[in-house]
Amino acid sequence: MPNFTEQPRPVPRELTVQPSPSTAQPPSDARQLRRVALSGLLGTAVEFYDFLVYGTVAALVFGDLFFPRADTAVGTIAAFGTFAAGYVARPLGGIVFGHFGDRIGRKSMMLLTMVLMGCGSFLIGVLPTYDAIGVWAPVLLVTLRVVQGLAIGGEWGGATLMVVEHAERTQGARRGLWSSFTQLGAPLGSVLSAGVVTLVSALPDGEFRAWGWRVPFLLSIVLLGVGLFVRLKVAESPLFAQARHEPEPGRPPVVEVLRRPKPVLLAACVGIGAFTAQSLLTGFMISYAVQHGYTRPQVLTAVTVASCVALVVLPAASALSDRVGRRPVVLAGAVASAALAFPVLALVDSGSPGLLILALALGHGVAQSTMYGPLGALLSEMFGTRVRYTGASLGYQAATLLGAGFSPLIASSLLASSGGGSAPVSLLLCGGAAITALTVWRLRETHADTLDAPPSRTTTPTPEGTLR
């Protein structure tokens, strides 16, 4: 068993980054950090709300409303296919918004991605169904889903880097804890989306299918206004403001990142376990549990409780990674996810609402959140300032595509061909966790590094797989 606390082998000083010294916190910097953290939390929660509402409603009614010619199984697979379309667009969004985020600033990209996400979600809420406009309904649905994917592909990088880079100047040793505020947007968005869908799904089935499913999407316009109000008050990242005075690299950031792809490949693989678990134990689980006899409110309640557990576990895991390192915490979450995979599905298959809540609280609230919490800081620490938005976004969004984008589609297909046994879902969870665990062994510990890299180190790859 490797020792995750030992220092890596010595490398030339020009290829290393040194631990940041303790610095006093000017009151204005501390206030700005808190404001940026709140902006990351609220903004990311709004965007994950929009993204996850789609997954929840797709599991409940989109198969019938937009793919009515298909049988139940095929309709569900088609609905999750449009769900996957959003994930396919996310790496492209990471590249596009990452390029401009690395060249013209983090803040402007944060505002633009939020507008695109909120407007795309609102338009889904007013979209005619197949019965009204025929084949154009699923075509427009996929188009708007791609817009959502592009937006959220750029959102995470901007929000996370704003927090991490502000924290570097005030509380550099606590980047994990502060970046967890942005990471909390995922479970908070899940709580909001599940809560709203739970309320509207309590309507009679005919009314829910006629208009109730639209309400969560239409509410996005209100959340968009709140998010923009908060984000307009934050200052640009101080590290980016410093870096923009340096000579601009001749090559685009994505070319710099992909010239030596090892860091972005490691970043993608280390996140696969967390996103596989997130996707299978939230959106997909709603469809799976309803088909196995649970009511919609029972399943949505379980998802909400699991997300509330995540709101506690996620920052705790992130804070722990500041003390013991990112690698051991992520590894612990991966091992727990694999160990719980079969027990969690067995609890779901029991038919007991109480055990369903316990299953999702353990699998999603505890194991998945332990893997996911440190990712914001870990991926940010793998890239230098001038390519950080592009590199971290591309790695993160590739992980979402591979881990979350196709998992519901694969699981639905395997279940349809295997007669409905839960073993394929458990094996997918184990597979994702195994990829994360193996990747952790290849990573260098970065929690004690500084993000302030001199220009000569901006794009130099270190032997341990980080890009400076």
Side-chain angles (χ1 to χ4, degrees), residues 350-433:
S350 69
S352 166
L355 293 180
L356 173 67
I357 292 174
L358 176 62
L360 298 191
L362 291 174
H364 174 52
V366 177
Q368 189 273 343
S369 297
T370 303
M371 281 189 287
Y372 182 67
L375 281 185
L378 174 59
L379 270 59
S380 299
E381 292 160 355
M382 294 177 69
F383 301 91
T385 301
R386 293 306 297 262
V387 298
R388 184 172 292 128
Y389 201 140
T390 299
S393 294
L394 188 56
Y396 182 92
Q397 302 306 338
T400 67
L401 171 62
L402 298 173
F406 296 114
S407 293
L409 189 62
I410 294 171
S412 297
S413 301
L414 291 176
L415 289 174
S417 62
S418 66
S422 62
V425 182
S426 299
L427 290 173
L428 282 175
L429 287 170
C430 289

Side-chain angles (χ1 to χ4, degrees), residues 42-331:
L42 294 180
T44 309
V46 169
E47 299 218 10
F48 270 93
Y49 166 87
D50 290 338
F51 206 74
L52 294 172
V53 157
Y54 181 97
T56 305
V57 176
L60 296 176
V61 296
F62 273 8
D64 295 334
L65 296 177
F66 290 92
F67 308 95
R69 301 287 179 88
D71 61 33
T72 302
V74 175
T76 299
I77 292 172
F80 279 127
T82 61
F83 184 66
Y87 280 99
V88 171
R90 286 171 71 157
L92 179 58
I95 292 172
V96 172
F97 291 106
H99 172 86
F100 292 104
D102 282 327
R103 287 294 175 86
I104 66 176
R106 319 312 199 195
K107 178 180 176 178
S108 57
M109 294 302 103
M110 287 171 57
L111 295 171
L112 179 57
T113 57
M114 177 171 282
V115 170
L116 286 175
M117 191 70 183
C119 292
S121 188
F122 179 81
L123 290 175
I124 290 177
V126 299
L127 187 65
T129 63
Y130 188 95
D131 288 341
I133 60 173
V135 71
W136 283 106
V139 170
L140 291 173
L141 180 66
V142 171
T143 301
L144 292 173
R145 186 61 179 169
V146 169
V147 170
Q148 284 190 320
L150 290 171
I152 203 169
E155 156 64 23
W156 178 88
T160 299
L161 298 192
M162 283 286 282
V163 177
V164 168
E165 291 178 349
H166 273 277
E168 176 70 14
R169 287 300 180 87
T170 57
Q171 297 189 13
R174 301 177 67 190
R175 291 190 299 260
L177 174 62
W178 283 100
S179 69
S180 71
F181 282 87
T182 300
Q183 301 294 82
L184 283 171
L188 182 56
S190 180
V191 170
L192 292 173
S193 64
V196 173
V197 175
T198 298
L199 291 176
V200 297
S201 67
L203 293 167
D205 191 66
E207 294 185 30
F208 178 72
R209 291 173 179 274
W211 59 269
W213 67 269
R214 299 181 183 274
V215 173
F217 294 102
L218 298 177
L219 286 176
S220 297
I221 205 70
V222 178
L223 298 176
L224 172 61
V226 174
L228 287 176
F229 175 78
V230 174
R231 287 197 164 176
L232 284 169
K233 293 180 176 293
V234 303
E236 180 59 89
S237 157
L239 294 190
F240 175 79
Q242 173 185 323
R244 71 189 309 172
H245 296 298
E246 301 166 0
E248 191 171 273
R251 288 182 289 263
V254 67
V255 175
E256 291 287 348
V257 169
L258 295 181
R259 282 177 66 233
R260 299 178 177 89
K262 181 179 178 181
V264 77
L265 291 176
L266 290 173
C269 289
V270 79
I272 285 178
F275 289 112
T276 299
Q278 181 190 65
S279 181
L280 292 179
L281 297 177
T282 53
F284 172 79
M285 186 53 61
I286 295 171
S287 173
Y288 178 87
V290 167
Q291 291 174 8
H292 283 72
Y294 293 96
T295 65
R296 284 196 300 253
Q298 287 173 339
V299 183
L300 292 170
T301 297
V303 172
T304 302
V305 171
S307 297
C308 289
V309 173
L311 291 172
V312 177
V313 174
L314 195 153
S318 302
L320 182 62
S321 76
D322 285 330
R323 302 181 69 86
V324 304
R326 319 293 184 213
R327 298 169 70 216
V329 175
V330 174
L331 180 64

